[in-house]
Amino acid sequence: MKSQCIYLILRMGKNDLNASINEDENKLGVSRMQRRLERIYLGGGKAKIEKQHGRGKLTARERIDYLIDDGSYFFEIGAFAGFEMYKEHGGAPAGGVVMGLGYVAGKMCMIVANDATVKAGAWFPITGKKNLRAQEIALENNTPLIYLVDSAGVYLPMQDEIFPDKEHFGRMFRNNAIISSKGIPQIAAIMGSCVAGGAYLPIMSDEALIVEGTGSIFLAGPYLVKAAIGETVDKQTLGGAETQSSLSGVTDYIMKDDKECLDTIKDLVGKMGKMDTAGFDRIEAKDPKLPAEKIYENFPSEATKPYNSYKILDSIVDEGSITEYKKTYGKTIICAYARIDGWSVGIVMNSREVIKNAKGEMQFGGVIYSDSADKATRFILNCNQKKIPLVFMQDVTGFMVGTRSEHGGIIKDGAKLVNAVSNSTVPKFTVVMGNSYGAGNYAMCGKAYDPRLIVGWPTAKIAVMGGTQAAKVLTQIQVTSLKNKNQPPNKAAEKALFEKIKAKYDEQTTAYYAAARLWMDAIIDPVDTRRFISIGIEMSNHSKVEKFNVGVIQT
């Protein structure tokens, strides 16, 4: 009896220690993220912000803060876009544009605001990708778009990477036309420069406002006019507010300053009619069983450690709302109906616990086996049948490999799951909690599979495979190549080669590397997961759900 008590005390002490380590590491990760965001929020720096204020202009973030409803939440998308990229050009914090979902006059809108403190709001390649993502989200979800324009146009030193291709600058204006044809409102405010091809964006919107003294819009600026036809003209005479409102009639409203412009946008949005809903089910919300902060304790600080996935869910879903599907089958994926902030959802979540299946075989957590792929496929079909949005919670190292899996048809079972995810028509939302490797990323609705929104925790890692495994493979390839040339490395050289490859690969798997390239829409604090999902479903509730047709799935 005494020995049992000692064992229990030691066991409890170990659990408490692990929880404390997890909490400390996760909070450090969130703190690191917040410090980086604080630098990003400064845009081009304090001097540039003061210069903007000196001209009587608000910054992009100040404009958004003024525009959205008091006390409402702004979900920023792409804050880490361009992170640690374009260093030779001085960097591009947030890609030189601030965008996200916010409530204006009680209506959820997609807001896109050029940051003129970053290279005068010029477009880098990632700026184009970010703007196109905003339009994609608006188009998928019937979300009104508000453009706060203040941009010098294409960043000329990189024009070959932003100007000519299908997913580049010009696609914005094509999307303007498509969005308009779908009846999705677009309002544009010219609050600074609007030059060359960029002039089409506000004028292809439904309504355009322009601010006196600071706003200007023209196909060619004074310097280009002088070079092209020899005419000397100043900016305001050429395309200022008075010219474009009273003379050309290009713009619809002339505003005295930024605040009057933003107040008018609020008024215009407030007079919009209500949009239809898809009818996703929502009831009165209940708080989760565990506080959101418990995620810090329950999610491990090391990517290889197992943990109880149900405890993570207990901090996200409404208490008592889980109905688990095929609980005793395919245990490395949890499939469950639940509610999040009152919304009905279908959750597909990787389980990281090592378990025995019904045959007594060991199955490793975070790996997709044939039975778990089969279960998830069937569950996704059911959610589409019932018009229930899907939430994917990723912590996956891939599909199971080896002779037994191949002989058991893992490729076929994996293909079924990928097929179901690809053809799913209900809104999909993805949260990358930890690992997201290889085909596991695809099967669990990675960016390539059109989630309405995809975010990661600071612990997220996205790659073909983990850094250690990839480094071992690449090292073996290089060592073999050297041996074939009769230049075999010694053990020290081989180890140095491995460490060099691993360091590079590890850097490329981080959440920041992924978010910088918009493989994820945002990096979020884990405690905000519930709010993120709720906002996403509310956004998507204004979009029509197409009839589900899964195509050919082999049995």
Side-chain angles (χ1 to χ4, degrees):
M1 184 70 179
K2 184 178 179 181
S3 61
Q4 287 181 333
C5 290
I6 293 172
Y7 170 78
L8 287 172
I9 291 169
L10 290 172
R11 182 70 182 269
M12 288 174 65
K14 184 179 179 182
N15 289 340
D16 289 343
L17 179 61
N18 286 336
S20 295
I21 292 171
N22 291 344
E23 182 178 16
D24 289 345
E25 290 296 324
N26 282 314
K27 285 185 175 180
L28 279 172
V30 171
S31 178
R32 190 179 303 116
M33 176 190 76
Q34 289 171 341
R35 287 197 304 272
R36 288 173 171 174
L37 283 173
E38 285 170 6
R39 292 198 297 271
I40 288 169
Y41 293 161
L42 289 174
K46 292 181 179 179
K48 294 286 182 68
I49 291 172
E50 289 172 4
K51 185 177 179 181
Q52 185 126 332
H53 289 164
R55 297 183 60 198
K57 297 167 66 176
L58 300 174
T59 65
R61 294 184 183 280
E62 288 168 344
R63 287 167 177 167
I64 291 173
D65 286 343
Y66 187 86
L67 180 63
I68 62 175
D69 296 343
D70 291 340
S72 67
Y73 178 68
F74 178 68
F75 175 63
E76 184 169 353
I77 295 169
F80 282 101
F83 180 71
E84 295 189 340
M85 296 169 65
Y86 313 121
K87 291 179 181 178
E88 66 277 23
H89 299 279
V97 62
V98 184
M99 75 181 209
L101 296 162
Y103 293 91
V104 179
K107 297 180 177 66
M108 186 179 288
C109 298
M110 173 61 74
I111 305 168
V112 181
N114 300 114
D115 187 349
T117 71
V118 179
K119 294 289 192 297
W123 285 47
F124 286 77
I126 198 67
T127 317
K129 188 173 183 179
K130 188 170 174 179
N131 277 268
L132 293 174
R133 178 62 176 147
Q135 290 183 320
E136 178 185 39
I137 291 170
L139 191 57
E140 283 183 327
N141 299 287
N142 285 332
T143 306
L145 264 160
I146 298 171
Y147 306 102
L148 307 180
V149 185
D150 195 344
S151 171
V154 167
Y155 182 61
L156 293 178
M158 302 185 74
Q159 65 85 26
D160 60 322
E161 298 181 47
I162 182 60
F163 168 67
D165 211 344
K166 180 180 177 181
E167 301 303 326
H168 284 173
F169 190 67
R171 191 75 170 184
M172 280 282 291
F173 320 128
R174 176 261 187 195
N175 287 353
N176 272 136
I178 299 298
I179 291 168
S180 181
S181 74
K182 301 294 184 183
I184 301 169
Q186 298 176 90
I187 297 173
I190 303 158
M191 308 182 80
S193 296
C194 188
V195 187
Y200 287 110
L201 185 146
I203 308 310
M204 292 187 73
S205 299
D206 301 304
E207 294 179 285
L209 305 86
I210 188 167
V211 178
E212 286 184 293
T214 55
S216 60
I217 178 169
F218 30 63
L219 291 181
Y223 293 123
L224 184 53
V225 169
K226 178 70 174 177
I229 64 174
E231 180 183 353
T232 301
V233 62
D234 66 82
K235 209 172 183 180
Q236 288 299 314
T237 302
L238 181 64
E242 188 64 35
T243 296
Q244 299 292 26
S245 293
S246 303
L247 187 60
S248 69
V250 165
T251 55
D252 305 307
Y253 307 92
I254 184 169
M255 304 282 104
K256 68 179 180 181
D257 57 26
D258 279 12
K259 288 187 176 181
E260 183 182 61
C261 182
L262 297 169
D263 284 334
T264 303
I265 293 173
K266 294 179 189 180
D267 181 66
L268 294 172
V269 173
K271 289 182 169 67
M272 290 179 185
K274 290 186 177 180
M275 303 187 74
D276 295 336
T277 66
F280 301 132
D281 188 64
R282 190 181 197 184
I283 62 174
E284 185 176 347
K286 292 182 180 178
D287 290 335
K289 179 179 179 180
L290 298 177
E293 290 75 14
K294 281 289 182 181
I295 294 175
Y296 296 143
E297 295 180 22
N298 292 322
F299 191 79
S301 56
E302 293 182 27
T304 56
K305 283 188 175 180
Y307 58 91
N308 188 331
S309 300
Y310 295 97
K311 287 187 177 180
I312 305 299
L313 288 179
D314 281 343
S315 290
I316 295 171
V317 306
D318 294 13
E319 184 173 8
S321 68
I322 290 181
T323 303
E324 191 167 353
Y325 176 78
K326 290 184 179 288
K327 183 175 183 178
T328 59
Y329 176 72
K331 293 181 181 180
T332 64
I333 289 184
I334 296 168
C335 296
Y337 301 107
R339 291 192 181 273
I340 295 177
D341 198 25
W343 293 104
S344 172
V345 297
I347 295 171
V348 182
M349 182 181 194
N350 301 113
S351 171
R352 287 304 306 266
E353 291 189 293
V354 179
I355 55 97
K356 280 187 179 181
N357 64 14
K359 298 177 183 178
E361 301 165 333
M362 296 302 297
Q363 292 187 334
F364 300 99
V367 179
I368 302 175
Y369 291 78
S370 286
D371 54 357
S372 48
D374 174 66
K375 176 172 81 170
T377 299
R378 292 168 181 264
F379 182 70
I380 290 167
L381 301 184
N382 285 349
C383 287
N384 275 271
Q385 185 80 359
K386 300 175 181 179
K387 206 161 73 171
I388 297 174
L390 284 159
V391 176
F392 293 83
M393 306 286 290
Q394 286 195 11
D395 193 353
V396 58
T397 53
F399 284 85
M400 191 59 192
V401 297
T403 305
R404 178 180 292 182
S405 294
E406 296 294 354
H407 292 181
I410 187 67
I411 295 176
K412 181 177 69 174
D413 291 320
K416 293 177 189 177
L417 178 53
V418 171
N419 192 329
V421 173
S422 301
N423 285 295
S424 176
T425 57
V426 294
K428 297 170 292 193
F429 303 91
T430 302
V431 180
V432 185
M433 304 181 298
N435 303 312
S436 179
Y437 295 151
N441 170 280
Y442 300 158
M444 290 294 293
C445 197
K447 182 68 183 291
Y449 289 80
D450 296 327
R452 299 293 177 98
L453 294 169
I454 175 171
V455 299
W457 293 352
T459 45
K461 296 182 184 297
I462 299 178
V464 172
M465 63 181 75
T468 301
Q469 295 91 332
K472 284 180 180 178
V473 172
L474 292 170
T475 301
Q476 288 170 11
I477 291 170
Q478 293 197 32
V479 168
T480 301
S481 177
L482 290 169
K483 285 180 179 178
N484 291 338
K485 297 175 183 176
N486 294 318
Q487 299 172 352
N490 58 37
K491 289 293 182 183
E494 188 174 329
K495 183 179 179 182
L497 179 61
F498 170 81
E499 293 297 338
K500 181 180 177 182
I501 295 172
K502 184 178 182 299
K504 181 180 178 182
Y505 211 89
D506 284 344
E507 178 189 352
Q508 293 177 350
T509 65
T510 67
Y512 298 100
Y513 193 91
R517 289 152 182 81
L518 289 175
W519 303 342
M520 300 189 303
D521 292 315
I523 304 174
I524 67 169
D525 186 333
V527 302
D528 290 331
T529 303
R530 176 178 165 89
R531 178 163 61 176
F532 152 72
I533 295 168
S534 180
I535 286 173
I537 298 174
E538 184 171 347
M539 168 192 73
S540 65
N541 196 32
H542 295 292
S543 60
K544 182 180 178 182
V545 177
E546 301 295 333
K547 185 178 179 181
F548 179 62
N549 185 350
V550 77
V552 178
I553 288 188
Q554 293 183 338
T555 57

